[in-house]
Structures are given as C-alpha cells and as structure tokens.
Amino acid sequence: MDFFLPSGNSSKESESGDLKWWQLSLIGVGCTIGTGFFLGSAIGIKITGPSIVFSFIFAAIGTYIVYNLLAKMTAEDPQEGSFCYYANKAYGKWAGFSCGWNYWCSNILIMGSQLTALSILTRFWFPHVPLWSFAAGYAILSIIVVLTGNKGFDKVEDLFAVIKTAAIIMFIILASAALAGVIDGDAKHPGFPGSAHDWFPEGFKGFWSSLIYAFYAYGGIEVIGLMATRLKKKEDAPKAGIIMLIVLAIIYVISLGLAVYMASHGAFNEKESPFVTAMDKYNLDFFPHVFNAAIIIAGFSTMTASLFGVTALLVTLANDGDAPAVFSKKIKKWKDLPLPSLGLATAGLIASIVTALLLPGKIYEYITTAAGILILFNWSFIIISALRILENKLLGKIIATAGLLLILAAISGTLLEKSIRLGFFVSLIFVALIATVALIMQKKVWKKEGGSSC
C-alpha cells in the first residue's frame, strides 16, 4: 500500500479506475489491521476491561461516518488529494496546509509507534536486549527498503496484509477450539461478565479513556478514501467502506471478545499481544512464536509503507509551496529518490529511537496516544469539510455531528487516564507548531498571493 497523499494544489482528477468495490473492501481490511490492534488493544483492555468490545463498536461507527463522508466527496469530486484537497476547498489554503502537515506528523508518530511495538515484540525472544537497539535495527532496515526502491513492494505488502488477517483468524480458530475442549490446558477462564462492574472494572472513566485505542486500530481509513479514486464506479465507494468496516468490526470484536473471556483483566499488559496472553495457559508452544512473528512482519510492512508515504507527501507539499523547496528535489541518478524528504522522515525515526532510549517504560503508550489523536484531528477536518462541501439533509448533519462527538469523546478521554495523558499534550505541541506556521504563512505568503482557493 502506498500512502502517497498529494495536497490541494496539485490534485488531479483520477483517471478511469481499475478496482471493483469488493476489491477495495479487501484492500481496506488488510491496510487497516496493524500493531495498533495487535498490541495497542492490550492497553485498551488494561484500561477498561471486557468493555473494550464496546469501545471497538463505537469506534467502528465513528470510523464509518468519517469514511462515508469522505467517500461521498470523492464520488462527487474525485481528487487524488483527497481530504487535504477537500479541506482546502472548504476552508482555504490554511486548512489544506494544516491537514497535510498534521498527516505528515501523525505518520511520523505512527512510524515511531510501530517501531516501538516491533521492538517490544522482538524482546519476547531477547528480553535482555535494550529496546532502542531493536528500534535502530528496524529503522535501518526500513530505510534500506526505501533506498533500494523495490518495485515489488506492492506485492509484498499484499502478502503482509494476508499474514495480518490470517494471524487474527488463526487466534479465533485456536481460541474456539480451546474453549470447546479440543486443546488441552489448565486455564480457568473468567468467562462472560455477569454484572456492570465485571464489564467495566475500571468504571466509566476507564471505558472513556480506552476509546482512543479503539479508534487507533481503525486508523488508515482515510488512506482507503484516497484509493476510492481507483474504483471503476466511484459511486461504489460508500458500499466498499461499509462492507470493509463490517468485516473489520466483526474480526476485531470476536477476537477481543474471546481474549477477554479467556483471560482476566489484570493479565493483560502493553508488552504482550492480548491474543498471546489469552492462549498462555494452553499447551501450544508454537503459538506465541508464530503469532509474534506474524505481528512483527505486519508491523514492519506498515512502518515501511508509512516511510514511503511521508517521503512522497513532503515532496508534494514542497511542490505546492507548503514546505521548503529543497524537499522537492530528487536524485535522478538514484531512481529519482527524494533524498531531502527521506532525510527529514529519517530524522523523525531517529527522534523516536532516542525517545525510546530515554523513556523505555511508557513510550509506546505516549506515542500511540499522540498519533491516534492527530489522526482524529484529520478525521474531524474530513467531517467539517463535508458539512460545507456536500448538500447534507438534516439526518446527514445529525449523523456527521454524532461522528464529531465520538471523535471528541476519544480525544478527551486521554485526559482521564494518567498513563496516557502525556500523549495528549504531545499531540497539542504538534498542532500548535502547525497552527503557528500556518498563521505566519497566511500573513506573509498566501495573503500576498491573493488567494486561498484550491
């Protein structure tokens, strides 16, 4: 998958597409599943308990509202620039600029999140090796992939998507067999929650705080909105999205439901996938190793694809005048590699490695929270852009407002949980920096150009 996101000024109408709606749905399922679900969901369970399944259902509803509005804008006015273009169209140059840079920053944090997750998972085999050393190794491997310009990367990504989905299905099958008594084990399951306290052992505050991790697991939906321009029938975009989200929601809820049924609330932690925790008491020596390897492969693919994406995005931002011109330069002798853009993305990765060295205990929660919030800021832009661009009836406005409220609930919930609160303030720092630069650009550049249109 390629996260290339042109911004408003360079948007071009898509040519005739080559995808059927069901193909886009399948691609969406593969692209969306990542370590945010495989590992981040463990933090969500730790924060709220079995009610995490409700968090994922609410997140699925909010995600669909966002995707549906983006798909409608795409069907009405197909643009490769997608949400950056529509923000520009709805509110002017500052909005497109902010969306582009907010998305760039969120992907840098996502790479840091994936990088940290990969390192945590690898320590399953090498518990005494420092976290930062694994982070450095995976970062170097990812940069090498970008430098080589591997033409077969798209096909490899498809394979990785299959591995991600297969890992979840494998857990569902094995967990079901274990509960049916087919697999021997000495586990005592807490079972189905019998009271409100069993569902919400950490209270409503814990449930509220867990929403960000549920939304984060659906992160990437805006990328599928971009790919909707490749549909043969652009009007099929909403249908592709709802099928994709139904499949994701079913997979997520069933697998998490089995996990919280099989293991007690206190057994889950951020250093181990909840699915490995759930199968811990069974005589399946191969499962933790196979599942761990599958998650690492999947996480590495997502991180590397994000590195490709932020590199390409910065080039487009530079071409549009929304970033210094130096970042648009490419090395012709080396497969037109945008070396300055890759260099800045690499600096972001290095910053993640240094942070992992300084804060090895809580870095994954902080980075994941901040990345999730920045994604939701962009989702908010998608909704408010649709409210201005599309001709929405009363019901449509009510649904869009409900989406905004769900997003606001997920963002505000991070303030209630001490262990992830710092991530909220990290995201605000990024937003403040982007807003400051946008204000300067508005006064000194865009105003002189005499236009803020797309």
Side-chain angles (χ1 to χ4, degrees), residues 215-238:
F215 270 97
Y216 186 65
Y218 290 98
I221 195 72
E222 68 284 350
V223 176
I224 309 308
L226 291 168
M227 295 186 68
T229 59
R230 292 176 52 192
L231 284 169
K232 290 182 179 179
K233 296 181 180 180
K234 304 298 186 292
E235 61 272 17
D236 284 343

Side-chain angles (χ1 to χ4, degrees), residues 34 47 99 171 209 224:
I47 290 173
C99 271
F171 166 73
S209 299
I224 309 308

Side-chain angles (χ1 to χ4, degrees), residues 37-363:
F37 174 66
F38 284 123
L39 193 59
S41 57
I43 306 173
I45 297 173
K46 183 180 177 181
I47 290 173
T48 190
S51 56
I52 189 68
V53 295
F54 299 128
S55 300
F56 271 77
I57 291 172
F58 278 118
I61 295 171
T63 304
Y64 172 69
I65 292 172
V66 173
Y67 176 83
N68 189 51
L69 291 172
L70 180 58
K72 286 182 178 178
M73 289 189 288
T74 301
E76 185 179 281
D77 182 17
Q79 296 287 339
E80 292 180 355
S82 192
F83 57 87
C84 295
Y85 171 85
Y86 301 127
N88 193 342
K89 181 178 180 180
Y91 295 101
K93 184 76 174 178
W94 70 270
F97 172 89
S98 299
C99 271
W101 275 104
N102 184 73
Y103 192 78
W104 188 90
C105 291
S106 69
N107 268 271
I108 288 293
L109 288 179
I110 287 170
M111 283 192 292
S113 174
Q114 300 282 355
L115 197 63
T116 308
L118 293 175
S119 303
I120 291 172
L121 292 166
T122 307
R123 289 182 76 180
F124 174 76
W125 296 301
F126 308 98
H128 302 298
V129 178
L131 191 70
W132 65 267
S133 60
F134 287 123
Y138 283 119
I140 291 170
L141 286 175
S142 184
I143 293 168
I144 289 174
V145 171
V146 177
L147 288 173
T148 56
N150 188 356
K151 293 182 180 179
F153 189 72
D154 285 343
K155 292 182 179 179
V156 173
E157 283 295 309
D158 291 338
L159 174 61
F160 287 160
V162 171
I163 292 174
K164 287 187 250 188
T165 308
I168 299 176
I169 294 174
M170 177 181 69
F171 166 73
I172 292 174
I173 293 172
L174 291 175
S176 299
L179 293 175
V182 177
I183 301 175
D184 293 330
D186 57 356
K188 293 182 179 180
H189 307 301
F192 192 80
S195 66
H197 180 266
D198 291 338
W199 277 108
F200 301 89
E202 301 297 329
F204 181 72
K205 186 180 80 168
F207 173 70
W208 191 351
S209 299
S210 72
L211 284 172
I212 188 67
Y213 290 99
F215 270 97
Y216 186 65
Y218 290 98
I221 195 72
E222 68 284 350
V223 176
I224 309 308
L226 291 168
M227 295 186 68
T229 59
R230 292 176 52 192
L231 284 169
K232 290 182 179 179
K233 296 181 180 180
K234 304 298 186 292
E235 61 272 17
D236 284 343
K239 178 168 64 175
I242 192 170
I243 297 299
M244 171 185 62
L245 281 169
I246 288 174
V247 172
L248 277 175
I250 290 173
I251 291 175
Y252 282 173
V253 170
I254 290 177
S255 57
L256 286 174
L258 286 168
V260 297
Y261 183 93
M262 296 174 69
S264 62
H265 170 221
F268 298 97
N269 65 81
E270 70 281 358
K271 296 181 180 180
E272 183 177 71
S273 172
F275 312 111
V276 174
T277 302
M279 298 296 296
D280 185 51
K281 300 299 182 180
Y282 289 90
N283 302 319
L284 297 173
D285 294 337
F286 73 91
F287 180 78
H289 299 279
V290 173
F291 201 82
N292 214 51
I295 301 173
I296 289 173
I297 292 172
F300 180 77
S301 77
T302 304
M303 185 190 73
T304 305
S306 293
L307 182 59
F308 272 117
V310 295
T311 301
L313 172 59
L314 187 55
V315 171
T316 306
L317 289 171
N319 287 332
D320 289 344
D322 290 338
V326 66
F327 292 115
S328 65
K329 294 183 179 180
K330 297 182 179 182
I331 309 299
K332 292 184 178 180
K333 293 183 179 180
W334 200 338
K335 303 179 181 180
D336 286 332
L337 179 71
L339 195 58
S341 178
L342 177 60
L344 188 60
T346 301
L349 278 177
I350 293 173
S352 295
I353 297 171
V354 172
T355 309
L357 174 62
L358 297 176
L359 299 169
K362 291 292 182 181
I363 183 63

